[in-house]
């Protein structure tokens, strides 16, 4: 007998108390072990439209709704007695006549009337908006998964009523209608044989999962409230399972599941290659810690897989490998490098370069590309640097950098770039690495030396390297050519367009901060057009105030309102541009009467406390509600960055990264977003429509 659970069951289970969940899990295990056990109390639901719906008694008040046939048991829903029965009376499970996928369909005649234009009472012509799908035939809509009884409702919606209707439809129908609404063409349905198993259809597999043993069921029920964090959409499965002929990259705007694809790709590689180890890496330690948590949710109960996947920041991996090959490195701090540059600059007569320019030129050109001679620096194209410098200026600069490198060598200190270039050279000589496969998340922020290092590892190993990232979230690195370093992903790049994390309102508003398409140095374009969110929400709240005191009170009231609505404190974040604005964040949370925790590389989210974070540290995080505050005129874009610009052409890069930062901060929100500033507010807020 087949034993399945539906996503509606895990969603409803997560809403119960801990004790209620424990009782439900016990009943679920009993059902799987012996559905005919006399200890199970089955009750036929006479009022249900689906004759196969039964209730199973969990305790005096909790009822489990199951769909039972002669060959299968499906856990469909769980709730308190009356609510569970009402849910079952409005649902049926049936094979879609066109797509062939098994669907859980809401019964149309039992649903409260939806506010869509009615033929009997048309809206006044002056106020009427165009209907979105009235030009599509019934069979066309059904081919996208729309249940037959909902076709007429779909053909009557306009842009105002679309999101009232979507929650009543299966997810594949929601996604297709959203794409049609924004002018995208949904993927053509794959024809299936009438004899095919309707539960085996890809659309059915996103909502119904079959279990063959108790251990599988236990893993699923252990983390039902986290399943959205590691859920892989069937449309993303191709990127996970595909065989590539070289380095591959998946992109997509915030919330489209790039990290989830990276996680599942790492697990797929570990499963498909049982004798090999896999490295799952990213550019920072906090992001690596987040990946560890998600990986544990995904395969924590499969030690044979989990033990062969190492999660580590790329600098951590490089440090460990260097220590094994050459001994523990003495990494020069930024403070030491700045001091050495300043000391060297004092010895060069008539140079007028600022300390900031020297540090940037060192980090992004000389050190990143490991320029060791005057000839190298004289001829370098300074890729990623737009400020033009003449021959004499270069000579003066090189004398500073040459002295700096000599000073670091005398101190037996090396930079991260030194470390990665030396490792790359050793690997090119045949040195083996501990990992057969490397999956990189947030790849847009890896550095030149790190990219070269990875290219060296993946050389001549087609499946070795897989990258996930978004150019619109690049906030740490100057752009550079991947291809020039040996990472040619042309023909092996794909873009995700369905957003599962962020509401339609938040996503569409945040997308205004960025252009419709962004291209990398190698000319590979990532289009943001056609991205759709799978759920509706409230409009972002964008406000400006006369002073910081007004802002503090308003943000505090907003936080208190979210908590009153049911948000836990740890599901809320207050994000600011930099540490300089953190005092305003602390004051706002204090006025809400709740505790807060300031996030850092070592400090993570804590239960019962609102998270306070800078925009840089918020990268990779997700919250139900986010307040991005202190968006003042000289805060973002940051005034001191603008003042340090020595060439007008560099100003564009400053504005781009500052926009990316605000985009990253806003897209940390799932359901609620507040953006505030004190007048005069940031010019970026105009992009939000104020």
């Amino acid at each position: 007998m087949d034993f399945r659970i539906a996503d509606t069951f895990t969603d409803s289970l997560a809403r119960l108390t801990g004790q209620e969940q424990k009782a439900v899990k016990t009943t679920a295990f009993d059902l799987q072990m012996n559905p005919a056990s006399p200890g199970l109390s089955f009750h036929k639901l006479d009022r249900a439209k689906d004759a196969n719906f039964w209730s199973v008694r969990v305790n005096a008040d909790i009822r489990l709704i199951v769909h039972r046939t002669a060959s299968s048991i499906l856990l469909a829903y769980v709730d308190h007695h009356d609510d569970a029965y009402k849910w079952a009376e409005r649902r049926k499970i049936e094979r879609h006549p066109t797509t062939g996928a098994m669907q859980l369909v809401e019964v149309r005649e039992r649903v409260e009337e939806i506010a869509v234009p009615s033929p009997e009472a048309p809206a006044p012509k002056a106020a009427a908006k165009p209907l979105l799908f009235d030009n599509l035939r019934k069979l066309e809509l059904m081919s996208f998964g729309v249940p037959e009884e909902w076709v007429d409702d779909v053909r009557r919606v306009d842009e105002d009523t679309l999101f009232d209707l979507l929650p009543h439809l299966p997810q594949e129908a929601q996604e297709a209608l959203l794409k049609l609404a924004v002018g995208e063409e949904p993927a053509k349905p794959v024809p299936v044989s009438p004899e095919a198993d309707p539960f085996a259809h890809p659309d059915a597999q996103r909502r119904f999962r079959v279990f063959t043993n108790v251990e599988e069921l236990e893993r699923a029920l252990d983390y039902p409230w986290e399943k959205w964090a590691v859920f892989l959409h069937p449309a993303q499965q191709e990127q996970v399972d595909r065989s590539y002929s070289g380095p591959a990259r998946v992109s997509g705007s915030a919330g489209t599941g790039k990290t989830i694809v990276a996680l599942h790709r790492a697990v797929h590689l570990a499963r498909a290659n049982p004798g090999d180890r896999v490295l799952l890496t990213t550019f920072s330690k906090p992001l690596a810690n987040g990946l560890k948590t998600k990986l544990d949710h995904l395969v924590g109960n499969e030690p044979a897989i989990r033990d062969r996947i190492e999660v580590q920041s790329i600098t951590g991996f490089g440090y460990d490998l260097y220590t094994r090959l050459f001994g523990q490195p003495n990494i020069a701090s930024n403070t030491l490098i700045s001091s050495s540059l300043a000391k060297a600059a004092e010895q060069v007569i008539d140079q007028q370069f600022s300390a900031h320019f020297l540090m940037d030129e060192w980090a992004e050109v000389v050190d990143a590309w490991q320029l060791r001679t005057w000839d190298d620096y004289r001829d370098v194209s300074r890729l990623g640097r737009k400020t033009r410098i003449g021959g004499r200026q270069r000579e003066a600069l090189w004398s500073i950098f040459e002295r700096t490198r000599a000073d670091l060598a005398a101190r037996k200190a090396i930079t991260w770039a030194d470390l990665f270039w030396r490792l790359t050279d050793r690997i090119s000589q045949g040195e083996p690495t501990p990992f057969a496969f490397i999956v990189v998340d947030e790849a847009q922020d890896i550095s030149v030396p790190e990219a070269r290092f990875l290219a060296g590892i993946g050389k001549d190993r087609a499946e070795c390297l897989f990258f996930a990232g978004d150019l619109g979230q690049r906030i740490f690195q100057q752009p550079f050519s991947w291809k020039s370093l040996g990472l040619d992903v042309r023909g092996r790049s794909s873009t995700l367009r369905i957003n599962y994390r962020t509401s339609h309102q938040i996503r569409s508003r945040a997308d205004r901060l960025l252009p419709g398409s962004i291209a990398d140095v190698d000319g590979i374009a990532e289009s943001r057009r056609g991205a759709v969110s799978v759920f509706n929400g409230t409009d972002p709240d964008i406000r400006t105030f006369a002073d910081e005191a007004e802002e503090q009170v308003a943000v505090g009231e907003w936080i208190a309102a979210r908590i009153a609505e049911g948000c836990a404190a740890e599901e809320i974040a207050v994000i600011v541009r930099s540490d300089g604005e953190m005092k305003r964040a602390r004051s706002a949370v204090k006025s809400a009467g709740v505790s807060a925790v300031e996030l850092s590389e070592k400090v993570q989210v804590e239960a019962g406390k609102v998270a306070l974070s800078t925009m840089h540290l918020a990268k990779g995080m997700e919250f139900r509600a986010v307040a991005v505050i202190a968006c003042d005129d000289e805060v973002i874009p940051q005034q001191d960055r603008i003042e340090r610009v020595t060439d007008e052409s560099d100003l564009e890069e400053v504005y781009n990264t500052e926009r990316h930062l605000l985009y990253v901060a806003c897209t940390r929100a799932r359901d609620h977003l507040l953006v505030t500033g004190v007048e005069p507010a940031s010019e970026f807020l105009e992009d939000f429509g104020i």
Side-chain angles (χ1 to χ4, degrees):
M1 174 175 285
D2 290 331
F3 187 86
R4 299 181 177 89
I5 64 173
D7 57 357
T8 48
F9 169 73
T10 51
D11 288 340
S12 58
L13 177 65
R15 291 192 287 268
L16 300 179
T17 66
Q19 282 298 109
E20 290 169 342
Q21 289 184 29
K22 184 177 179 181
V24 172
K25 291 177 184 180
T26 300
T27 303
F29 293 141
D30 290 342
L31 268 170
Q32 187 182 30
M33 294 298 293
N34 183 11
S37 170
L40 294 170
S41 178
F42 279 90
H43 176 71
K44 180 75 171 176
L45 299 182
D46 296 328
R47 297 178 61 184
K49 294 294 184 182
D50 192 320
N52 292 315
F53 269 142
W54 297 69
S55 77
V56 175
R57 187 180 189 275
V58 174
N59 58 28
D61 187 36
I62 302 297
R63 294 295 182 269
L64 179 59
I65 303 300
V66 301
H67 189 267
R68 184 171 74 166
T69 69
S71 59
S72 68
I73 289 280
L74 185 147
L75 307 185
Y77 193 74
V78 64
D79 208 336
H80 297 273
H81 182 284
D82 291 349
D83 291 331
Y85 276 45
K86 288 177 183 176
W87 182 91
E89 290 165 4
R90 303 203 313 260
R91 305 293 190 286
K92 58 184 177 181
I93 294 177
E94 63 183 11
R95 179 186 183 126
H96 192 281
T98 303
T99 69
M102 191 65 81
Q103 292 183 331
L104 200 158
V105 179
E106 194 166 350
V107 179
R108 178 65 187 90
E109 62 266 25
R110 298 303 300 268
V111 180
E112 294 179 6
E113 189 63 32
I114 299 170
V116 298
S118 169
E120 292 76 23
K125 289 186 177 180
K129 291 190 175 183
L131 303 183
L132 296 175
F133 311 115
D134 65 330
N135 61 321
L136 297 178
R137 294 172 298 156
K138 176 179 179 179
L139 289 179
E140 285 182 281
L141 289 171
M142 290 181 64
S143 73
F144 295 124
V146 176
E148 184 174 8
E149 59 198 85
W150 286 92
V151 168
D152 290 341
D153 296 286
V154 169
R155 298 188 70 213
R156 291 201 301 267
V157 297
D158 58 28
E159 63 182 44
D160 290 335
T161 57
L162 173 62
F163 283 97
D164 295 323
L165 176 67
L166 289 181
H168 300 282
L169 302 177
Q171 193 173 37
E172 63 268 27
Q174 294 182 33
E175 293 165 8
L177 294 180
L178 282 168
K179 287 192 172 186
L180 288 167
V182 297
E184 289 283 311
E185 183 68 27
K188 295 298 182 183
V190 178
V192 297
S193 166
E195 291 76 31
D197 179 4
F199 283 103
H201 192 286
D203 287 333
Q205 289 181 347
R206 72 173 74 188
R207 50 183 164 262
F208 303 121
R209 183 175 172 186
V210 65
F211 295 92
T212 58
N213 56 57
V214 172
E215 288 73 22
E216 279 190 69
L217 180 62
E218 182 179 10
R219 284 196 295 270
L221 298 187
D222 271 347
Y223 305 105
W225 49 90
E226 294 285 357
K227 74 179 183 69
W228 65 270
V230 294
F231 168 72
L232 182 72
H233 188 279
Q236 298 166 348
Q237 192 71 49
E238 179 184 358
Q239 285 88 356
V240 170
D241 296 341
R242 182 179 165 189
S243 293
Y244 297 94
S245 58
R249 183 172 72 188
V250 61
S251 62
S253 57
T256 52
K258 299 177 299 297
T259 295
I260 307 309
V261 169
L263 284 162
H264 282 264
R265 176 67 176 176
V267 172
H268 165 75
L269 291 169
R271 284 202 173 107
N273 302 275
D276 295 321
R277 299 185 68 213
V278 179
L279 174 66
L280 178 60
T281 188
T282 187
F283 69 87
S284 76
K285 187 175 180 180
L287 288 177
N289 290 336
L291 287 174
K292 283 182 183 178
T293 301
K294 287 182 170 66
L295 184 64
D296 288 340
H297 289 319
L298 185 59
V299 289
N301 285 356
E302 297 181 78
I305 300 297
R306 179 64 182 87
D307 292 348
R308 288 190 293 108
I309 303 175
E310 178 74 20
V311 185
Q312 197 174 22
S313 69
I314 192 166
T315 51
F317 169 48
Y319 188 96
D320 290 347
L321 184 58
Y322 189 97
T323 300
R324 179 169 68 82
L325 296 178
F326 306 109
Q328 188 171 8
N330 175 25
I331 302 294
S333 66
N334 285 338
T335 301
L336 174 59
I337 295 171
S338 296
S339 174
S340 183
L341 285 167
K343 185 171 67 173
E346 290 173 357
Q347 301 173 45
V348 178
I349 300 173
D350 294 334
Q351 68 83 22
Q352 301 294 321
F353 302 106
S354 68
H356 178 77
F357 176 84
L358 289 174
M359 187 64 176
D360 279 357
E361 186 77 359
W362 165 268
E364 295 171 11
V365 180
V366 177
D367 192 39
W369 294 93
Q370 287 289 284
L371 307 180
R372 296 285 178 171
T373 68
W374 157 243
D375 290 344
D376 290 339
Y377 185 59
R378 180 193 61 202
D379 299 334
V380 73
S381 64
R382 300 175 73 249
L383 185 64
R385 298 286 281 167
K386 296 179 181 177
T387 302
R388 295 177 294 275
I389 55 176
R392 288 189 177 182
Q393 289 176 309
R394 284 209 186 196
E395 289 181 13
L397 284 167
W398 181 249
S399 63
I400 295 172
F401 298 139
E402 197 171 34
R403 287 179 170 88
T404 299
R405 197 174 290 287
D407 181 50
L408 294 178
R411 298 171 183 268
K412 296 183 178 180
I414 66 171
T415 65
W416 283 110
D418 292 329
L419 180 147
F420 281 111
W421 281 67
R422 188 173 181 187
L423 285 175
T424 306
D425 291 344
R426 174 63 73 89
I427 288 168
S428 68
Q429 299 168 16
E431 181 69 39
T433 59
F435 303 101
F437 305 98
I438 299 178
V439 177
V440 184
D441 191 32
E442 302 290 357
Q444 75 280 346
D445 277 315
I446 61 173
S447 67
V448 167
E450 292 164 351
R452 180 176 178 265
F453 170 63
L454 292 170
I457 294 176
K459 186 178 181 182
D460 302 323
R461 297 161 61 187
E463 293 283 344
C464 181
L465 300 176
F466 185 90
F467 300 92
D470 173 19
L471 293 177
Q473 297 183 65
R474 179 179 56 80
I475 58 178
F476 289 99
Q477 298 296 332
Q478 292 280 352
F480 60 89
S481 169
W482 281 32
K483 182 175 178 289
S484 69
L485 295 172
L487 294 176
D488 189 356
V489 297
R490 292 175 302 172
R492 293 180 296 276
S493 294
S494 57
T495 302
L496 304 176
R497 302 194 185 280
I498 302 175
N499 189 308
Y500 305 95
R501 187 186 71 204
T502 305
S503 72
H504 165 74
Q505 285 78 4
I506 294 174
R507 178 199 56 76
S508 58
R509 195 70 71 92
D511 277 351
R512 298 183 187 180
L513 292 167
L514 303 177
S517 180
I518 302 176
D520 66 11
V521 174
D522 297 318
I524 302 176
E526 297 180 1
S527 175
R528 315 187 88 73
R529 296 184 178 91
V532 294
S533 298
V534 298
F535 67 97
N536 202 17
T538 59
D539 286 324
D541 193 356
I542 318 295
R543 288 191 259 170
T544 60
F545 301 92
D547 54 43
E548 292 180 16
E550 279 189 16
E551 180 189 49
Q552 170 189 319
V553 171
V555 175
E557 292 174 347
W558 184 87
I559 293 171
R562 302 290 78 75
I563 292 175
E565 291 171 354
C567 278
E570 64 270 19
E571 295 176 323
I572 303 173
V574 179
I575 301 176
V576 292
R577 169 62 181 83
S578 66
D579 289 331
E581 296 77 51
M582 191 59 73
K583 181 180 178 181
R584 290 165 69 172
R586 288 193 293 266
S587 298
V589 176
K590 185 178 180 180
S591 71
V594 293
S595 300
V597 58
E598 292 185 31
L599 305 185
S600 68
E601 288 202 359
K602 296 182 179 179
V603 179
Q604 301 299 306
V605 175
E606 293 183 20
K609 295 183 179 180
V610 172
L612 307 182
S613 176
T614 62
M615 292 181 179
H616 283 90
L617 283 174
K619 193 81 178 66
M621 294 188 171
E622 301 162 0
F623 300 91
R624 284 184 62 189
V626 169
V628 183
I629 73 168
C631 295
D632 306 347
D633 179 46
E634 295 191 352
V635 172
I636 185 164
Q638 200 172 57
Q639 186 64 23
D640 63 343
R641 287 194 70 195
I642 294 175
E643 292 174 352
R644 290 198 301 263
V645 171
T646 55
D647 189 291
E648 187 175 340
S649 60
D650 285 333
L651 195 61
E652 180 184 358
E653 179 61 22
V654 170
Y655 268 79
N656 283 342
T657 53
E658 292 287 307
R659 282 181 175 278
H660 293 179
L661 271 172
L662 184 56
Y663 173 81
V664 166
C666 293
T667 53
R668 301 310 92 194
R670 176 177 171 83
D671 301 311
H672 304 280
L673 173 64
L674 172 69
V675 182
T676 68
V678 169
E679 293 289 354
S682 168
E683 61 190 272
F684 293 161
L685 297 194
E686 296 178 8
D687 295 324
F688 286 116
I690 68 166

